[in-house]
């Protein structure tokens, strides 16, 4: 077993293969579950929290490990067992999938609560719940595009990022005075700007009448200019929200109406992704829609793995009457759900990635299909496969194969196509091909990629690494058929910051001007302080009329405006100590890079997917973890800053000293910072947790004690504890600092609580009917130093009255859920009454239809007698999963977060009403801020919001 005691200097000195091997060995011990306001001056006003990176531009080692794990990048850690998978499993348990009836009923329940809030009784309830004479609504705290500290970027230049962006569409004309760009996001809905060419475009959210914030495609009809939005993200990862249909706007996005998508008695777009849309230039009522396998079927961004029964077969659907009737135009064999499989095993085979009409040949249309190839149809004829992958339809490549293409009409009247096949070389290695006559009876395809370093074709080889299912794009600007751009994942193994030789800048986006023969690297620009792209690129569009010198790229970090002219920076290669093929690659890749590349135009976009939010006791400080975009902090003066990268889970503050704070990556991997969140000051503290081999959730219930300074808890199968912030500061800084530690000694001093009976998932505490049980909730009372409540994934609820015992083996528990007949479902939150540590409120995810019980309970427990009461507070909440619960000690109201917003139950009432002013978005975590007397909500796609409620 390898420990985490790895010298950083040794790490950067070895070859990438050694780095990956060390990372894999390190992480193999983890047992993952299977299952607003305008901030125009934010950039100028925000102050970076450090003097900058070291000369070697090192990155936090845990961040490196996450990115390199298996060389598949961050999406690989989530494709089978990510955070959204857990969210879905929690709702579906003990079933494997969530049926449409449950999702629809939950949405209707929230709608009813929103309607009740508008009545006189509802307004009265809101006033009493908030302790105000007039109900107040939620206000946005941002970040509306947040600052990435230099330590969290690969170039050492800080950036402005927003949440995962999945779709782009740009309107004609596009000039410096007016250029309309539409943006679709994974969880933040649809946004638009009228001045996309500006250095700081002004963004406006649109599509509030679209009942989903997960967007898969945006398309502007060629003759009418009608705007189409397809819901459901088609990229392959576990948090790709499935769709609720196809929507159309005829007024530039001011209003939308649903386009009927009914076929054979069902809605073919529901529970799927509308991944691509194509309208016939000769007939605006003639349209094709390509659907793909979105990874779950929930009604908001809460993820999952199983496709519900009754979901239509993926493929290409056609209408000739504007959607009144549809036919299934193209389909092949697809995956089926395997009920006993932990993932459902229904991956991407048969899904459509793109549909496009041929500009040179009216009536001819092309469609690319996962795990099969590229198809062509002429008029009303049959579809013909004009490119076929090796072993089409194979179950061995259903997870990894994706086909993407770009049309590049030639001036001769023929049609060129650039095509990327993610399994061209093997099951996980992509290659690029080209045909110069796509309408030929059997087009000839010329391979352009070469696996040999130093050759021209190496620039397109393996461009999306082993996660092409997640981020893969091929684009060619109109009128310039010799230009082709590739979008993919970051080539971490080539970056010096990740221990690579540095023969490229990462190849996140590459450009060819010689018909795909060779490529240059667009990832860094030519500015004195290089700006770099965010990893995981999803799509790219060109500014009309710019001659392909201005384009917009969309990634997990939002949107970047990139500009030519393109200049030679190959002189940098000599400074990197390269030789041979690596030097040849570098000279080619850097021979033409953008003069202005990473012009982040994310300022104003509030689309980050937050998992949690924490607040300090004695200062106006916040922290919040985001999916794939690190942990953020806000001091309410200088704005939001991402202080550490990677996945961001739970966070917290030392109650005695807010300069000491904590954050989590995914799994039980945590850092402490003794220096006000300085990005240079994060110290790794998680060796004992990882080395334990215990099962844990994707985001563990990492909890800072609200009263006892330095004490922090984490939940695996045991509750674990540290009482000194994870270790001595001097020791941690010397050996365990993420940037400068030597890692020659163990890092972290966590100890399991409860001795021989501390495993709360064990049979000691009752018969085990489900495997994979572990601690998912931990709360410490604020009224003493000893009372702790904990709960497990499958509904075990425990009370400890001596969580502060000096000897961790002496900590004892009482199990109360069986005595009180509480639901045996996922416990999503515990709120403790500050006036009585034995009076708590417990929330449950999961549907009552699948296992009995409500979603919110009030519990009184007498630890001396071992008895108590449990009152079901579901009332008119409906069968609606609750993700967290908060109790206001001043108004004695409850607040419950859901997949659609936040509800409240005023003291003494029996009716839940929706709080007002929050967008329709999933809220995954809440907290009360003692310093501001506000309730804070972490939304999964629209940032952090606050509400008077304390």
């Amino acid at each position: 077993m390898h420990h985490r005691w790895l010298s950083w200097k040794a790490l950067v000195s070895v070859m990438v293969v050694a780095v990956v091997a060390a990372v894999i060995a390190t992480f193999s011990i983890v047992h993952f579950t299977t299952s607003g306001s305008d901030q125009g001056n934010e950039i100028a006003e925000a102050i970076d929290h450090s003097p900058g990176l070291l000369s070697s531009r090192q990155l936090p080692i845990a961040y490196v490990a996450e990115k390199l794990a298996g060389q598949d990048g961050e999406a690989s850690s989530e494709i089978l067992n990510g955070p959204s998978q857990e969210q879905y499993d929690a709702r579906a348990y003990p079933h494997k999938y969530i049926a449409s009836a449950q999702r629809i009923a939950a949405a209707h329940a929230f709608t009813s609560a929103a309607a009740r809030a508008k009545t006189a009784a509802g307004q009265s309830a809101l006033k009493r719940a908030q302790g105000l004479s007039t109900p107040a609504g939620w206000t946005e705290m941002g970040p509306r595009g947040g600052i990435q500290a230099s330590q969290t970027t690969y170039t050492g230049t800080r950036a402005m990022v927003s949440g995962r962006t999945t779709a782009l569409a740009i309107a004609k004309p596009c000039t410096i005075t007016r250029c309309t760009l539409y943006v679709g996001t994974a969880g933040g809905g649809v946004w638009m700007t009228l001045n996309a060419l500006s250095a700081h475009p002004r963004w406006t959210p649109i599509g509030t009448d679209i009942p989903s914030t997960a967007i898969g495609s945006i398309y502007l009809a060629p003759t009418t200019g009608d705007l189409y939005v397809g819901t459901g993200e088609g990229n392959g990862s576990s948090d790709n929200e499935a769709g609720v249909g196809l929507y159309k706007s005829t007024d530039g996005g001011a209003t939308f109406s649903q386009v009927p998508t009914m076929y054979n008695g069902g809605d073919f777009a529901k529970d799927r992704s509308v991944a691509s849309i194509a309208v016939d230039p000769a007939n605006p009522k003639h349209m094709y829609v390509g659907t793909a396998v979105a990874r779950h079927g929930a009604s908001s961004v809460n993820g999952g793995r199983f496709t519900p029964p009754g979901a239509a077969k993926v493929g290409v659907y056609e209408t000739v009457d504007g959607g009144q009737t549809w036919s299934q135009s193209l389909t092949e064999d697809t995956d089926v759900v395997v009920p006993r499989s932990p993932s459902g095993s229904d991956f991407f085979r048969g899904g459509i990635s793109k549909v496009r009409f041929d500009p040179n040949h009216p009536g001819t249309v092309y469609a690319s299909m996962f795990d099969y190839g590229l198809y062509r149809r002429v008029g009303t004829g049959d579809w013909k496969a004009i490119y076929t992958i090796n072993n089409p339809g194979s179950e061995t490549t259903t997870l990894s194969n994706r086909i993407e293409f770009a049309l590049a009409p030639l001036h001769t009247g023929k049609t060129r196509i650039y095509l990327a096949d993610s399994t061209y070389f093997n099951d996980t290695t992509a290659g690029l091909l080209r045909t110069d006559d796509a309408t030929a009876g059997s087009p000839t395809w010329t391979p352009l990629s070469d696996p040999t370093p130093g050759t021209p074709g190496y620039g397109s080889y393996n461009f999306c690494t082993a996660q092409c299912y997640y981020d893969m794009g091929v684009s060619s600007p109109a009128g310039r058929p010799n230009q082709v751009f590739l979008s993919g994942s970051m080539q971490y193994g080539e970056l010096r910051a990740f221990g690579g030789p540095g023969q490229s800048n990462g190849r996140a986006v590459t450009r060819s001007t010689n018909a795909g023969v060779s490529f240059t690297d667009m990832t860094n620009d030519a500015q004195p302080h290089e700006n770099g792209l965010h990893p995981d690129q999803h799509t790219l569009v060109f500014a009309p009329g710019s001659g392909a010198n201005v384009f917009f790229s969309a990634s997990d970090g939002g949107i970047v405006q990139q500009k030519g002219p393109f200049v030679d920076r190959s002189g940098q290669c000599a400074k990197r100590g390269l030789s041979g093929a690596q030097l040849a690659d570098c000279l080619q890749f850097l021979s033409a890079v953008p003069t202005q590349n990473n012009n982040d135009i994310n300022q104003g976009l509030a689309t980050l997917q937050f998992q949690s939010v924490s607040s300090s006791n004695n200062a106006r400080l916040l922290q919040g973890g985001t999916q794939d975009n690190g942990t953020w902090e806000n001091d309410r003066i200088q704005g939001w800053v991402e202080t550490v990268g990677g996945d961001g889970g739970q966070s917290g503050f030392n109650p005695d000293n807010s300069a000491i704070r904590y954050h989590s990556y995914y799994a039980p991997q945590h850092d402490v910072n003794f220096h006000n969140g300085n990005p240079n000051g994060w110290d790794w503290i998680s060796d004992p947790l990882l080395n334990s081999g215990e099962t844990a959730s994707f985001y563990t219930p990492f909890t800072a004690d609200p009263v006892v300074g330095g004490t922090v808890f984490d939940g695996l199968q045991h509750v674990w504890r540290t009482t000194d912030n994870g270790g001595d500061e001097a020791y941690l800084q010397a050996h365990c600092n993420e940037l400068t530690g030597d890692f020659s000694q163990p890092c972290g001093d966590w100890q399991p609580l409860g001795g021989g009976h501390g495993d709360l998932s064990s049979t000691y505490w009752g018969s085990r009917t489900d495997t994979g049980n572990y601690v998912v909730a931990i709360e410490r009372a604020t009224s003493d130093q000893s009372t702790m409540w904990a709960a497990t994934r499958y509904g075990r609820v425990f009370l400890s009255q001596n969580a502060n015992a000096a000897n961790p083996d002496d900590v004892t528990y009482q199990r109360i859920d069986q005595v009180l007949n509480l639901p045996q479902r996922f416990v999503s939150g515990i709120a403790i009454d500050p006036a009585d540590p034995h009076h708590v409120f417990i929330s449950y995810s999961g549907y009552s239809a699948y296992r009995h019980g409500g979603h919110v309970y009030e519990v009184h427990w007498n630890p001396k007698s071992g008895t108590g009461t449990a009152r079901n507070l579901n009332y008119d909440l409906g069968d609606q999963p609750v993700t967290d619960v908060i109790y206001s000690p001043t108004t004695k109201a409850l607040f419950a977060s859901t997949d659609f917003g936040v509800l409240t139950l005023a003291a003494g009432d029996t009716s839940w009403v929706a709080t007002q002013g929050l967008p329709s978005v999933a809220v995954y975590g809440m907290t009360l801020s003692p310093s501001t007397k506000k309730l804070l909500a972490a939304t999964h796609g629209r940032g952090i919001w606050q509400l008077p409620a304390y």
Side-chain angles (χ1 to χ4, degrees):
M1 179 179 294
H2 289 253
H3 293 278
R4 184 74 170 50
W5 316 334
L6 180 65
S7 167
W8 172 259
K9 291 183 179 180
L11 179 66
V12 295
S13 68
V14 296
M15 298 299 288
V16 171
V17 172
V19 177
V20 175
V23 168
I24 293 173
T26 301
F27 280 78
S28 65
I29 59 179
V30 182
H31 294 248
F32 292 112
T33 174
T34 56
S35 10
S37 59
D38 183 16
Q39 296 180 348
N41 298 319
E42 184 174 4
I43 296 177
E45 293 177 354
I47 297 175
D48 207 341
H49 294 237
S50 72
L53 287 174
L54 301 177
S55 59
S56 60
R57 288 178 179 164
Q58 299 166 358
L59 291 167
I61 189 170
Y63 186 24
V64 172
E66 177 185 350
K67 298 295 185 184
L68 282 177
Q71 293 200 73
D72 295 353
E74 57 193 341
S76 63
S77 65
E78 300 177 12
I79 186 66
L80 294 175
N81 52 20
S84 296
Q85 171 65 51
E86 287 190 337
Q87 293 281 351
Y88 186 91
D89 288 346
R91 289 159 174 77
Y93 177 78
H95 289 204
K96 288 290 189 179
Y97 59 82
I98 299 170
S100 295
Q102 269 64 60
R103 297 192 311 278
I104 294 170
H108 287 169
F110 190 89
T111 300
S112 296
R116 289 194 296 270
K118 297 177 181 179
T119 66
Q123 290 290 293
S124 173
L126 289 172
K127 288 190 292 185
R128 288 180 286 114
Q130 296 181 270
L132 301 173
S133 57
T134 301
W138 290 91
T139 57
E140 183 183 355
M141 298 189 68
R144 278 187 163 247
I147 296 171
Q148 253 188 320
S150 59
Q151 288 81 352
T152 65
T153 69
Y154 315 125
T155 62
T157 302
R158 68 183 186 186
M160 173 76 71
V161 300
S162 60
R164 185 161 84 234
T165 303
T166 55
L168 298 172
I170 195 165
K172 297 179 181 179
C174 175
T175 67
I176 193 65
T177 57
R178 185 179 179 91
C179 184
T180 304
L181 179 66
Y182 297 97
V183 171
T185 68
V190 184
W191 295 68
M192 70 174 291
T193 180
L194 298 177
N195 60 333
L197 295 182
S198 157
H200 301 291
R202 297 188 65 86
W203 293 100
T204 302
I206 62 174
T208 56
D209 38 8
I210 299 175
S212 173
T213 55
I215 308 303
S217 54
I218 300 181
Y219 180 82
L220 284 164
T223 55
T224 64
D226 292 342
L227 177 65
Y228 288 88
V229 173
T231 63
E233 184 185 358
N235 297 313
S237 72
S238 72
D239 67 327
N240 285 1
E241 169 64 26
V244 296
L246 173 66
Y247 292 81
K248 175 183 176 180
S249 174
T250 59
D251 53 15
T255 60
F256 284 85
S257 60
Q258 186 168 9
V259 178
T261 47
M262 299 300 293
Y263 168 73
N264 197 27
D267 189 339
F268 69 80
K270 186 171 289 185
D271 295 328
R272 298 302 194 184
S273 164
V274 177
S276 188
I277 305 160
V279 176
D280 191 338
N283 178 7
K285 291 188 176 182
H286 180 210
M287 176 167 48
Y288 290 96
V289 165
T291 62
V293 183
R295 295 319 309 149
H296 47 87
S299 50
S300 193
V301 279
N302 56 307
R305 194 59 31 238
F306 282 80
T307 300
K313 195 172 185 180
V314 293
V316 177
Y317 291 81
E318 179 186 18
T319 181
V320 296
D321 54 16
Q324 297 306 306
T325 60
W326 292 84
S327 60
Q328 192 177 62
S329 183
L330 172 64
T331 187
E332 298 283 7
D333 288 342
T334 60
D335 293 335
V336 296
V337 174
V338 180
R340 293 186 180 276
S341 165
S343 66
S345 295
D346 58 320
F347 292 105
F348 313 124
R349 180 169 47 156
I352 303 300
S353 58
K354 186 180 290 184
V355 185
R356 288 294 180 264
F357 279 93
D358 189 328
N360 275 354
H361 299 86
T364 298
V365 66
Y366 306 89
S368 50
M369 181 181 286
F370 284 79
D371 209 25
Y372 285 96
L374 182 67
Y375 294 76
R376 180 186 69 202
R377 188 187 192 196
V378 180
T380 59
D382 294 334
W383 288 91
K384 177 182 178 179
I386 60 171
Y387 175 83
T388 302
I389 71 167
N390 296 322
N391 302 316
S394 170
E395 292 184 4
T396 62
T397 52
T398 180
L399 175 60
S400 58
N401 180 266
R402 178 171 176 173
I403 298 293
E404 287 287 351
F405 71 97
L407 300 178
L410 299 172
H411 301 301
T412 61
K414 293 184 178 181
T415 298
R416 171 179 289 168
I417 292 181
Y418 296 99
L419 180 144
D421 176 353
S422 68
T423 56
Y424 181 76
F425 288 97
N426 54 51
D427 287 353
T428 59
T429 306
L432 180 69
L433 304 97
R434 188 189 78 219
T435 181
D436 291 336
D437 188 4
T439 60
S442 296
T444 299
W445 294 94
T446 301
L448 300 171
S449 300
D450 192 322
T452 306
T455 61
Y458 190 70
S460 60
Y461 172 73
N462 194 30
F463 73 93
C464 44
T465 67
Q467 61 176 57
C468 301
Y469 51 81
Y470 181 63
D471 41 27
M472 180 188 194
V474 183
S475 310
S476 182
R480 284 174 166 72
N482 286 336
Q483 292 197 33
V484 59
F485 290 68
L486 301 179
S487 306
S489 57
M490 189 73 73
Q491 296 285 341
Y492 298 111
E494 294 177 3
L495 291 173
R496 300 179 76 193
F498 285 85
Q503 76 265 42
S504 78
N505 289 333
R507 291 196 286 146
V509 173
T510 55
R511 169 181 176 261
S512 172
T513 59
N514 56 6
V517 174
S518 62
F519 283 81
T520 59
D521 194 344
M522 302 289 100
T523 311
N524 293 356
D525 65 13
Q527 298 299 305
H529 298 285
E530 297 175 9
N531 296 314
L533 293 178
H534 196 282
D536 297 315
Q537 296 285 321
H538 297 294
T539 189
L540 186 152
V541 296
F542 303 93
S546 72
N549 277 337
V550 180
F551 52 99
F552 302 89
S553 56
S555 71
D556 278 7
I559 312 168
V560 166
Q561 179 193 90
Q562 302 184 249
K563 292 182 179 180
F566 303 94
V567 297
D568 188 351
R569 284 295 181 267
S570 60
Q572 296 180 359
C573 298
K575 303 174 184 178
R576 299 185 182 184
L578 303 170
S579 62
Q582 291 177 348
L583 177 60
D585 282 336
C586 183
L587 293 173
Q588 170 62 35
F589 293 154
L590 273 61
S591 64
V593 304
T595 52
Q596 181 178 345
N597 178 39
N598 192 6
N599 178 23
D600 302 309
I601 56 172
N602 295 299
Q603 186 177 350
L605 279 171
T607 58
L608 282 170
Q609 296 171 290
F610 275 86
Q611 300 291 327
S612 65
V613 59
S614 62
S615 174
S616 64
N617 284 351
N618 53 4
R620 299 169 64 85
L621 300 172
L622 300 179
Q623 287 190 110
T626 62
Q627 192 164 323
D628 292 339
N629 275 294
T631 295
W632 295 73
E633 68 171 46
N634 187 314
D635 62 5
R636 300 170 184 258
I637 298 174
Q638 298 178 99
W640 290 92
V641 176
E642 179 187 356
T643 63
V644 64
D647 259 305
Q650 305 298 317
S651 60
F653 294 85
N654 184 310
D656 294 339
N657 181 359
S658 61
I660 303 174
R661 55 199 66 172
Y662 322 95
H663 94 95
S664 299
Y665 298 100
Y666 74 93
Q669 303 179 89
H670 316 298
D671 287 342
V672 63
N673 192 304
F674 297 93
H675 305 287
N676 290 297
N678 186 319
N680 290 330
W682 291 105
D683 301 327
W684 172 264
I685 55 172
S686 292
D687 281 342
L689 300 174
L690 288 179
N691 292 340
S692 72
E694 291 192 358
T695 303
S697 58
F698 191 92
Y699 291 124
T700 62
F702 182 82
T703 304
D705 194 297
V707 177
V708 183
T711 294
V712 189
F713 301 92
D714 196 22
L716 286 76
Q717 290 170 221
H718 288 76
V719 174
W720 292 68
R721 185 188 71 186
T722 176
T723 59
D724 59 357
N725 302 300
D728 174 74
E729 178 182 356
Y731 175 97
L732 293 174
Q733 283 289 100
H735 301 298
C736 308
N737 182 271
E738 287 274 18
L739 293 173
T740 61
D742 59 27
F743 292 95
S744 63
Q745 299 297 318
C747 298
D749 57 6
W750 296 86
Q751 293 180 302
L753 303 184
H757 303 318
D759 183 347
L760 302 185
S761 68
S762 71
T763 55
Y764 174 82
W765 294 105
S767 60
R768 177 179 290 167
T769 58
D770 296 279
T771 59
N773 206 2
Y774 41 79
V775 178
V776 295
I778 301 172
E779 289 293 332
R780 262 275 297 114
T782 58
S783 56
D784 60 35
Q785 298 186 359
S786 57
T787 304
M788 177 182 71
W789 291 79
T792 69
R793 181 185 183 199
Y794 296 134
R796 293 181 176 184
V797 179
F798 297 87
L799 167 67
S800 173
Q801 291 190 275
N802 65 336
N804 65 337
N807 183 346
D809 290 344
D810 291 341
V811 173
T812 59
Y813 297 97
Q814 288 179 296
R815 182 179 176 184
I816 74 163
D817 56 284
Q818 291 175 313
V819 178
L820 301 181
N821 194 31
L822 291 169
Q824 299 300 286
R825 302 204 312 272
F826 189 98
V827 175
S828 57
I830 302 173
I832 305 175
D833 184 349
D836 180 359
H838 303 133
H839 176 211
V840 300
F841 300 87
I842 303 174
S843 63
Y844 292 85
S845 186
Y847 287 91
S848 303
Y850 299 153
R851 180 156 285 190
H852 85 278
H855 294 278
V856 181
Y857 282 78
E858 180 180 19
V859 170
H860 289 271
W861 183 253
N862 186 331
K864 293 182 178 179
S865 65
T867 60
T869 60
R871 185 160 62 109
N872 187 346
L873 303 180
N874 217 71
Y875 302 133
D876 54 3
L877 188 148
D879 194 1
Q880 184 177 179
V882 170
T883 58
D884 200 1
V885 62
I886 292 290
Y887 173 71
S888 171
T890 55
T891 67
K892 304 192 184 315
L894 287 180
F895 294 87
S897 55
T898 75
D899 293 335
F900 312 97
V902 177
L903 306 172
T904 187
L905 181 70
D909 282 6
T910 58
S911 185
W912 291 87
V913 297
T915 54
Q916 299 175 314
L918 191 67
S920 179
V921 63
V923 177
Y924 277 2
M926 299 186 294
T927 192
L928 283 174
S929 171
S931 59
T932 65
K933 306 301 183 183
K934 299 288 179 65
L935 174 65
L936 305 175
T939 75
H940 200 66
R942 290 296 299 270
I944 303 295
W945 293 66
Q946 65 180 356
L947 180 77
Y950 199 100

